[in-house]
Every structure is written in structure tokens, then in C-alpha cells.
Amino acid sequence: CYLFTILPYQNLFKVKNLFIIVTLVCLSYLFLFIVYSLITKIPLGLNVRNFNQAFGWLPFKPVYANQAIRWINISFLPTFQPSELAKLSILIFFAGSIGKTITANPSRYSWKETKETIHWQELKTPFIILASIVGLVIFQPDLGNALLMLGLIIGAMWITRVDIKILGGVLLVAIVFSSLLIANYTYRLNRINS
């Protein structure tokens, strides 16, 4: 974290696409193992050791723990959770995309006086990227990190003066979707009730 505080933010915006690509590759990599376990009908809850040992030959090993495939063990690095990288990547990508929109139209957007809000057209690409990442994180399953990512984006949208209708729509979809996910998965209800 300290490294990111001393770097000029313009340098982070230059590599925003790289952050997103690495995040999507890592999350997609884990997604492949989730799909594999569903196709082969491996009872993951019973075979934690077998799952982790079956892929021990890979240089980037998926790690199954706590009823989820959320971690990647790289031979020469400690185990890491790609959803942590996703939080940082989403913020950098969203801020870079909105900043690019604002600097491309300085007369349209002014921070001194509110001339116009940011509309849906400027948010298509960040929303597609956000939906892809949040979907991959939910599939692990990791609703907590997915909701945290949505909260980060909703906060960023509020700060950057996104149209209130879009902000409200995203908030409504997030509430409805998360309520459905909590209600449909018993382990999430058990965690809330305990």
C-alpha cells in the first residue's frame, strides 16, 4: 500500500488496463477450476486435500479452502487472493476512465460549478468490466468482496458526480441481487445467523 501512496496517480492510470487484464486472468483461472469441479461433480466439501493435491503440479495452484476456490498459490510467492487485486484494479480503472472522460471534455465538466453530470454512455466500459469482475468473484463464492467492490464503485460514482438516476439504479440492482444471493445459498444465511 505504501508504494501506491508515493507513486504519482498518473502512472497508475497509464497501467490501468494492465491491472484489469491481470485481475481478469487470475479470476478466470480460478473460474476454470470451479467449472471443472462442477462438471466432474467433485464433492469439494469432502475432498479439500485431494483437490489441492490434484493440481500440485501446476506452477500457479488453485487453493480450495472454506468451501471456496478463492486463492492462488504461486510457487515462489505467498498465496494470494485475486479479489484483493480486483478491488485495487477496479478503483484505478474506474478513476482513470472517468478522469479521461472529464479531461476530454473540460468545458462540459467543471469541479467549480456543476455544469453536467456523467451519463450512462461514459460508464458503459467501466460497468462491463465491473460486472465481469464481480460476477467472477461471486462465482468463487465470495459475496462479501463482491459487495465491497460494488460499494467502492458506488462511492466513486458519488464523488465523480455520476447522474443520480444511474447511481440509484446501480444501488437498487446491488441490493436486490445481493438479497437474492443471500436468500438462495444456505451457507450465507448460516454465516449471517451465527
Side-chain angles (χ1 to χ4, degrees), residues 78-139:
T79 302
F80 84 101
Q81 191 173 5
S83 61
E84 297 300 324
L85 177 64
K87 293 175 202 169
L88 179 64
S89 300
I90 284 173
L91 276 178
I92 291 170
F93 186 79
F94 189 80
S97 299
I98 295 300
K100 188 176 179 182
T101 300
I102 291 171
T103 55
N105 304 307
S107 61
R108 188 170 162 206
Y109 305 106
S110 172
W111 295 111
K112 293 181 182 173
E113 55 186 58
T114 306
K115 291 186 177 183
E116 197 169 327
T117 58
I118 297 170
H119 297 286
W120 170 247
Q121 291 78 16
E122 290 99 4
L123 296 173
K124 275 192 241 179
T125 303
F127 277 175
I128 290 169
I129 299 291
L130 172 68
S132 302
I133 290 175
V134 169
L136 288 170
V137 170
I138 286 174
F139 225 91

Side-chain angles (χ1 to χ4, degrees), residues 20-143:
I20 287 295
I21 290 168
V22 169
T23 299
L24 284 171
V25 166
C26 289
L27 290 172
S28 298
Y29 181 72
L30 290 178
F31 179 74
L32 290 175
F33 289 99
I34 294 167
V35 170
Y36 172 78
S37 66
L38 292 174
I39 290 172
T40 59
K41 299 187 180 2
I42 294 174
L44 290 176
L46 300 175
N47 288 327
V48 175
R49 175 179 275 165
N50 292 344
F51 180 87
N52 292 337
Q53 288 176 349
F55 301 107
W57 57 273
L58 293 170
F60 306 106
K61 300 171 197 69
V63 177
Y64 176 76
N66 301 329
Q67 299 179 346
I69 303 172
R70 297 183 191 156
W71 298 269
I72 296 176
N73 185 2
I74 301 173
S75 301
F76 53 89
L77 292 174
T79 302
F80 84 101
Q81 191 173 5
S83 61
E84 297 300 324
L85 177 64
K87 293 175 202 169
L88 179 64
S89 300
I90 284 173
L91 276 178
I92 291 170
F93 186 79
F94 189 80
S97 299
I98 295 300
K100 188 176 179 182
T101 300
I102 291 171
T103 55
N105 304 307
S107 61
R108 188 170 162 206
Y109 305 106
S110 172
W111 295 111
K112 293 181 182 173
E113 55 186 58
T114 306
K115 291 186 177 183
E116 197 169 327
T117 58
I118 297 170
H119 297 286
W120 170 247
Q121 291 78 16
E122 290 99 4
L123 296 173
K124 275 192 241 179
T125 303
F127 277 175
I128 290 169
I129 299 291
L130 172 68
S132 302
I133 290 175
V134 169
L136 288 170
V137 170
I138 286 174
F139 225 91
Q140 293 178 1
D142 193 357
L143 182 63

Side-chain angles (χ1 to χ4, degrees), residues 151-175:
L152 288 170
I153 290 301
I154 289 170
M157 289 169 56
W158 176 264
I159 290 169
T160 56
R161 296 185 186 151
V162 170
D163 187 11
I164 195 72
K165 293 175 188 172
I166 297 171
L167 187 62
V170 170
L171 190 58
L172 181 65
V173 167
I175 290 170

